[in-house]
């Protein structure tokens, strides 16, 4: 870690070039004798990324930014703050802490937080940043296995980890691919804490996860602006039921959270029917939970088809957690009515792919109209709609 980067002279310079292209900076001669062009570009990219991904870092002086890969792998500040809001206690250990965005969020709610990271350079960077923002963080540069051996007496209110995936090939994502292998380590973790929170890949299946891991008390599917970011499982040593609370959250939206217990979806009874005045598309966090029947039952909406995850009603439900479309009319003669139309497209359980439809009718992306291609219990439909929410 080059501490010259923290000098007021360089920090002022960094702010002065904030809007320049960091890729071009690499090709220019550095105006600093002890700071390379590559280092300037790294800090500039970090500053630019932080403006939207880690706004607290962006607003704070003397923050040291890591290489690009660590910026990309780090949680956003919004998702980190959400993680910290669903657990509590006095002490927490982050076993795979990386750039420390989650760690710093936890440190705002816990008295003592341990940041464990094998990458020594990254640990030095985190040590600098936490000394400014969250001095109650203890940074340890080594593996969590070594930390446990050297501090065997320590217990924690919560253990948190975000395991890496060992296999980068095309094989289906499985829990056994994680590093560390949580299936092997969970018993050891429970010797250190009664509560564990693990961030998993959104690609994992919830049912399969419940089959492989016991003691799961809660599952949180967290989206940010309708893009799934986190699949969080909360383990409680005292919980042996396989009926966890499941929460679907869409951060930075006005949508309400959708919550249920795992068996609720199994027991739910959906109502099915054809298209009415309004069409509802659940946000991605709800779709990931698989609560397709429950959306119909809990929100009193009609599901178009068993395999169509769109819903309908004659009266608008403004608080629906997702997108709402008002049906203007059903397209009866698509060749005449929609050829070369400028419109957005939503294709759900239709007998043609979106690419083939666009090509067939020469549809141009954009505009205020949304064409919905879907299937109800009464057959296939092409709907001309306008987006309300």
């Amino acid at each position: 870690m080059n501490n010259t980067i923290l000098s007021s002279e360089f920090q002022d310079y960094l702010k002065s070039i904030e809007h320049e292209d960091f890729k071009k900076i690499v090709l220019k001669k550095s105006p600093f004798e002890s700071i390379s062009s590559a280092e300037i570009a790294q800090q500039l990219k970090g500053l630019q990324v932080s403006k939207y991904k880690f706004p607290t870092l962006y607003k704070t002086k003397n923050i040291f930014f890591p290489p690009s890969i660590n910026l990309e792998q780090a949680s956003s500040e919004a998702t980190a703050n959400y993680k910290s809001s669903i657990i509590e206690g006095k002490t927490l250990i982050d076993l795979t802490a990386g750039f420390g965005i989650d760690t710093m969020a936890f440190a705002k709610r816990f008295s003592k937080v341990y940041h464990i990271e094998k990458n020594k350079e990254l640990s030095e960077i985190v040590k600098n940043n936490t000394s400014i923002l969250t001095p109650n963080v203890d940074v340890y540069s080594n593996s969590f296995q070594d930390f446990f051996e050297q501090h065997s007496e320590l217990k924690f209110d919560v253990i948190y980890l975000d395991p890496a995936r060992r296999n980068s090939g095309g094989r289906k994502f499985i829990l056994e691919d994680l590093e560390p292998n949580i299936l092997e380590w969970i018993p050891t973790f429970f010797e250190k804490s009664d509560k564990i929170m693990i961030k998993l890949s959104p690609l994992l299946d919830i049912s399969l996860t419940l089959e492989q891991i016991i003691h799961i008390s809660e599952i949180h599917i967290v989206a940010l602006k309708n893009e799934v970011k986190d699949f969080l499982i909360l383990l409680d040593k005292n919980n042996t039921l396989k009926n966890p609370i499941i929460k679907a959250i869409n951060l930075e939206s006005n949508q309400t959270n959708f919550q249920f217990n795992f068996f609720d979806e199994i027991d739910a009874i959906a109502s099915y029917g054809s298209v009415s005045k309004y069409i509802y598309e659940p946000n991605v966090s709800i779709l990931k939970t698989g609560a397709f029947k429950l959306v119909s039952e809990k929100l009193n909406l009609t599901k178009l088809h068993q395999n169509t995850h769109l819903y309908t009603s004659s009266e608008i439900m403004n608080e629906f957690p997702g997108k709402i479309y008002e049906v203007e009319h059903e397209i009866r003669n698509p060749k005449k009515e929609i050829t070369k139309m400028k419109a957005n497209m939503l294709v759900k359980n239709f007998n043609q792919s979106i690419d083939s439809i666009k090509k067939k009718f020469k549809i141009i992306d954009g505009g205020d109209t949304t064409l919905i291609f879907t299937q109800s219990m009464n057959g296939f439909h092409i709907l001309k709609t306008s987006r309300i929410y």
Side-chain angles (χ1 to χ4, degrees):
M1 178 174 156
N2 186 350
N3 287 310
T4 313
I5 284 171
L6 302 175
S7 68
S8 57
E9 182 183 5
F10 177 79
Q11 290 293 310
D12 290 342
Y13 169 74
L14 186 63
K15 277 291 185 180
S16 73
I17 62 167
E18 179 181 349
H19 302 293
E20 293 191 25
D21 186 344
F22 68 88
K23 295 177 183 176
K24 293 180 179 178
I25 293 293
V26 179
L27 305 175
K28 295 180 180 180
K29 187 179 185 301
S30 171
F32 297 88
E33 185 177 339
S34 56
I35 304 174
S36 68
S37 297
E39 289 176 312
I40 296 173
Q42 176 179 311
Q43 295 307 306
L44 179 57
K45 182 177 182 180
L47 183 67
Q48 292 170 346
V49 169
S50 70
K51 186 173 185 178
Y52 302 101
K53 193 173 182 180
F54 327 114
T56 297
L57 300 191
Y58 175 77
K59 298 171 187 175
T60 305
K61 293 181 179 180
N62 295 329
I63 293 298
F64 199 110
F65 294 104
S68 294
I69 187 170
N70 302 119
L71 288 174
E72 294 162 5
Q73 291 176 344
S75 297
S76 67
E77 187 172 331
T79 57
N81 286 339
Y82 179 79
K83 291 185 194 81
S84 71
S85 73
I86 61 176
I87 51 176
E88 59 184 16
K90 293 184 178 180
T91 59
L92 177 145
I93 184 167
D94 187 341
L95 301 182
T96 54
F99 183 40
I101 301 300
D102 289 326
T103 306
M104 288 187 279
F106 295 138
K108 295 173 184 176
R109 298 176 64 89
F110 286 74
S111 301
K112 185 73 171 179
V113 175
Y114 297 86
H115 175 285
I116 313 300
E117 172 54 48
K118 290 187 288 187
N119 185 319
K120 289 182 167 39
E121 182 181 356
L122 194 53
S123 291
E124 284 299 311
I125 291 172
V126 173
K127 190 175 292 187
N128 172 78
N129 297 343
T130 55
S131 68
I132 298 168
L133 290 166
T134 50
N136 57 324
V137 171
D138 187 355
V139 178
Y140 182 84
S141 180
N142 216 321
S143 68
F144 72 83
Q145 294 93 329
D146 286 339
F147 183 89
F148 283 165
E149 286 183 13
Q150 295 172 19
H151 303 276
S152 58
E153 78 288 356
L154 289 180
K155 306 290 183 184
F156 312 93
D157 292 321
V158 180
I159 288 176
Y160 171 73
L161 69 156
D162 176 4
R165 185 181 179 187
R166 282 195 300 254
N167 187 298
S168 59
R171 192 155 63 94
K172 187 177 179 181
F173 192 101
I174 59 175
L175 288 172
E176 289 85 347
D177 280 343
L178 296 177
E179 177 59 47
N181 185 336
I182 59 173
L183 300 180
E184 296 177 353
W185 276 96
I186 284 174
T188 300
F189 295 157
F190 273 136
E191 294 174 6
K192 303 290 183 180
S193 175
D194 289 347
K195 308 279 187 180
I196 304 168
M197 179 162 66
I198 306 174
K199 177 182 172 182
L200 298 173
S201 167
L203 297 176
L204 280 169
D205 178 75
I206 290 177
S207 297
L208 182 59
T209 302
L210 284 171
E211 287 179 14
Q212 292 187 274
I213 302 176
I214 61 173
H215 302 297
I216 297 178
S217 59
E218 296 182 22
I219 294 175
H220 296 244
I221 304 297
V222 185
L224 178 63
K225 297 179 180 178
N226 211 37
E227 180 181 352
V228 175
K229 296 293 186 180
D230 290 346
F231 175 0
L232 304 173
I233 59 171
L234 276 65
L235 282 65
D236 185 331
K237 189 177 181 178
N238 299 313
N239 177 64
T240 56
L241 300 176
K242 291 196 173 184
N243 189 29
I245 296 170
I246 300 178
K247 297 183 181 182
I249 291 88
N250 191 15
L251 300 176
E252 298 188 8
S253 75
N254 295 322
Q255 297 169 9
T256 56
N257 298 339
F258 192 80
Q259 177 176 324
F260 61 100
N261 285 88
F262 180 72
F263 289 133
D264 292 349
E265 172 63 17
I266 297 172
D267 299 333
I269 299 174
S271 60
Y272 297 95
S274 195
V275 175
S276 195
K277 187 175 182 180
Y278 298 99
I279 298 291
Y280 303 86
E281 180 188 12
N283 67 47
V284 294
S285 65
I286 294 176
L287 293 175
K288 172 60 187 175
T289 68
F292 305 129
K293 293 184 294 182
L294 268 177
V295 169
S296 171
E297 183 180 86
K298 289 186 73 169
L299 303 182
N300 196 27
L301 297 172
T302 299
K303 198 173 190 295
L304 291 183
H305 185 276
Q306 182 177 351
N307 298 318
T308 302
H309 307 316
L310 294 175
Y311 304 80
T312 191
S313 68
S314 57
E315 300 292 329
I316 191 168
M317 181 184 179
N318 291 309
E319 64 274 22
F320 180 78
K323 297 176 183 177
I324 306 176
Y325 305 88
E326 183 174 6
V327 178
E328 296 178 13
H329 67 270
E330 183 164 355
I331 304 295
R332 302 295 183 183
N333 187 348
K335 187 173 182 180
K336 180 180 179 181
E337 295 184 64
I338 68 174
T339 297
K340 294 185 179 180
M341 177 182 281
K342 185 175 184 179
N344 303 294
M345 295 176 63
L346 176 61
V347 180
K348 295 279 189 179
N349 196 25
F350 200 67
N351 59 358
Q352 298 175 60
S353 69
I354 187 168
D355 290 336
S356 63
I357 294 169
K358 288 178 74 172
K359 184 177 181 180
K360 180 178 180 180
F361 297 109
K362 300 177 182 177
I363 294 172
I364 303 166
D365 291 329
D368 297 325
T369 295
T370 298
L371 294 174
I372 299 179
F373 298 77
T374 192
Q375 181 180 178
S376 76
M377 300 298 287
N378 294 337
F380 293 99
H381 306 269
I382 303 175
L383 309 172
K384 183 182 180 184
T385 74
S386 55
R387 169 91 178 270
I388 299 176
Y389 298 112

